[in-house]
């Protein structure tokens, strides 16, 4: 599209709408002459973006890692939103940085691919209920990965129509 883009000023159209695993926002496009009152073209458009895709933590070809601040979880499993061309692994530790053997980084099943909601597993198991209410830290190891977010959930991720 050639011209300037601006968001529609009505409050309902300035909102973001979730549609499945995308965020939608509506706006209008018109040519550059609209500022002088000579508006010749106007069109309502829909902007789409990845769910949680506003920002990401990006790792290139060199492996990088980070550890979260202490978290309390209240769910059954850990889910990530990531685009992984290399590898992504996650380990769970207590707040003193001691590994939980069954959730160690080394036990994590390597995540690959482009996923809005991918369940993390360790040796094929993803149930982390035994950690509910305990303070934990997550250690992420990223290689050629864009990490958009993570979440602990009770069950399967919700789908929005």
């Amino acid at each position: 599209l050639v011209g300037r883009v601006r968001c529609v000023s009505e409050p309902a159209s300035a909102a973001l709408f979730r549609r499945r695993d995308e965020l939608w926002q509506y706006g209008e496009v018109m040519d550059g002459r609209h500022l002088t009152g000579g508006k010749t073209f106007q069109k309502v458009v829909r902007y789409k973006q990845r769910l949680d895709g506003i920002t990401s933590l990006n790792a290139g070809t060199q492996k990088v890692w980070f550890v979260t601040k202490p978290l309390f979880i209240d769910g059954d499993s850990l889910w990530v939103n990531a685009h992984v061309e290399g590898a992504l692994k996650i380990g769970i530790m207590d707040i003193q940085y001691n590994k939980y053997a069954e959730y160690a980084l080394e036990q994590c099943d390597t995540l690959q691919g482009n996923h809005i909601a991918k369940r993390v597993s360790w040796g094929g198991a993803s149930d982390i209920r035994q950690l509910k209410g305990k303070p934990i830290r997550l250690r992420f190891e990223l290689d050629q990965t864009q990490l958009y977010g993570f979440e602990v959930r009770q069950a399967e991720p919700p789908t929005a129509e």
Side-chain angles (χ1 to χ4, degrees):
L1 295 171
V2 178
R4 295 186 176 189
V5 178
R6 70 177 177 88
C7 287
V8 180
S9 59
E10 290 81 29
S13 59
L16 293 173
F17 301 94
R18 181 175 177 175
R19 175 90 171 140
R20 294 185 189 92
D21 54 7
E22 295 178 330
L23 293 177
W24 292 4
Q25 185 173 25
Y26 292 88
E28 58 185 14
V29 178
M30 48 186 91
D31 70 15
R33 291 178 281 180
H34 76 280
L35 296 175
T36 62
K39 180 170 36 174
T40 59
F41 177 78
Q42 182 174 351
K43 181 178 180 180
V44 175
V45 295
R46 180 181 68 218
Y47 304 99
K48 296 189 305 183
Q49 69 183 29
R50 174 192 192 102
L51 186 64
D52 294 331
I54 294 170
T55 188
S56 64
L57 178 64
N58 300 322
T61 56
Q62 186 176 9
K63 281 186 183 178
V64 298
W65 61 270
F66 73 94
V67 176
T68 66
K69 292 183 176 185
L71 308 169
F72 287 90
I73 61 170
D74 186 25
D76 300 339
S77 54
L78 177 63
W79 297 78
V80 294
N81 179 349
H83 183 182
V84 184
E85 293 180 9
L88 171 62
K89 288 188 161 201
I90 304 164
I92 303 179
M93 305 177 288
D94 65 20
I95 60 170
Q96 283 82 32
Y97 302 94
N98 299 309
K99 300 177 190 177
Y100 286 105
E102 61 271 34
Y103 305 114
L105 188 73
E106 299 78 20
Q107 299 300 318
C108 185
D109 298 321
T110 302
L111 299 165
Q112 294 178 314
N114 190 4
H115 306 280
I116 299 295
K118 178 69 174 172
R119 189 188 328 233
V120 179
S121 59
W122 297 265
S126 61
D127 187 350
I128 59 172
R129 282 182 284 192
Q130 71 177 14
L131 301 175
K132 279 186 181 180
K134 296 180 182 178
I136 60 144
R137 294 178 191 267
L138 300 174
R139 178 183 168 131
F140 288 79
E141 186 177 274
L142 301 87
D143 178 20
Q144 297 178 52
T145 297
Q146 291 175 288
L147 178 65
Y148 296 98
F150 64 91
E151 182 177 10
V152 175
R153 296 186 177 170
Q154 293 290 353
E156 293 292 322
T159 57
E161 288 300 321

